[in-house]
Amino acid sequence: MKFFSDPVLEAMATRRSVSKVGPGTPSDAELAELLAAVTSVADHKALRPWRLLLLRGEDRRALGDALDAAGGVVREPGEHNPKPFRAELLIAIVASPTEHPKVPRWEQLAVAAGAGHLLELALWQAGWGVMWRTGVLADSDEVRAAHGLAETEQLMGWLYVGSIDESFRRRLQTSRRPALDPHQFLGRMPR
């Protein structure tokens, strides 16, 4: 189902979270190219209060070990936490706020979330499947340490990125799922 003739609005309207992605991933060079579009995120005072960490290969095992340690999970020798292995590429979205008299911390966290969502849209438009995942252990000491976060930083979650199965892509293209009624989100200030 097509919603808009404008490709940007169409990408926004048709974006879907893809919980099961395939093994293909964008290269670091492809990600850098997509990031050029993300850096335009609304950013009061241009503080750039965000950064990204690419987790591939053994980085995912380190994340799994940190999640297990934080959750008190002990596995049999040779077993590992399967969650970080749902995709070959995870992109950690890190909010890196700084003290500023005119830009409160919450606003800088919103900028980091905005950058994450723009990257998700850019990846979607480039043909990749993406799922933004978080969890109650994302802010645990063990997970923070595994990502090398400074005390002032906050992990906003991970984008799980991979290829999209062709049958799923066809289903998405023929979907009749209607857009949500936008009027439910619009209101006026009380008088």
Side-chain angles (χ1 to χ4, degrees), residues 2-189:
K2 192 155 177 75
F3 295 98
F4 298 96
S5 60
D6 180 278
V8 173
L9 295 176
E10 183 67 10
M12 292 167 58
T14 60
R15 186 215 61 86
R16 297 291 181 267
S17 292
V18 181
S19 61
K20 292 184 180 183
V21 295
T25 65
S27 67
D28 290 0
E30 289 172 296
L31 288 170
E33 188 176 318
L34 293 175
L35 275 174
V38 173
T39 58
S40 68
V41 66
D43 182 2
H44 189 190
K45 297 293 181 186
L47 298 177
R48 295 176 184 84
W50 57 277
R51 63 189 181 100
L52 305 172
L53 299 172
L54 304 180
L55 286 74
R56 297 182 192 267
E58 286 302 306
D59 290 339
R60 296 171 304 147
R61 187 174 307 280
L63 172 57
D65 292 346
L67 289 168
D68 283 350
V73 175
V74 178
R75 297 189 188 273
E76 294 294 323
E79 289 185 2
H80 63 272
N81 187 321
K83 289 182 179 180
F85 290 87
R86 292 176 181 163
E88 295 290 324
L89 169 62
L90 280 62
I91 303 173
I93 302 162
V94 179
S96 300
T98 57
E99 287 291 322
H100 194 283
K102 294 186 176 182
V103 188
R105 178 180 169 82
W106 71 262
E107 189 174 334
Q108 295 181 54
L109 295 178
V111 171
H117 188 58
L118 281 179
L119 179 56
E120 186 178 25
L121 284 171
L123 286 161
W124 175 257
Q125 182 62 14
W128 299 104
V130 184
M131 179 78 159
W132 189 330
R133 296 181 185 272
T134 56
V136 296
L137 300 177
D139 198 41
S140 68
D141 291 340
E142 295 86 350
V143 173
R144 293 176 56 77
H147 287 78
L149 300 186
E151 188 159 324
T152 58
E153 292 184 313
Q154 183 167 341
L155 180 62
M156 307 295 285
W158 304 269
L159 298 181
Y160 282 58
V161 183
S163 51
I164 300 175
D165 179 81
E166 281 308 312
S167 64
F168 183 68
R169 188 183 301 277
R170 282 192 299 277
R171 269 198 353 246
L172 287 174
Q173 291 170 343
T174 59
S175 172
R176 295 270 182 232
R177 179 175 156 185
L180 294 175
D181 176 11
H183 295 93
Q184 68 181 316
F185 304 105
L186 298 174
R188 302 272 185 220
M189 289 183 64

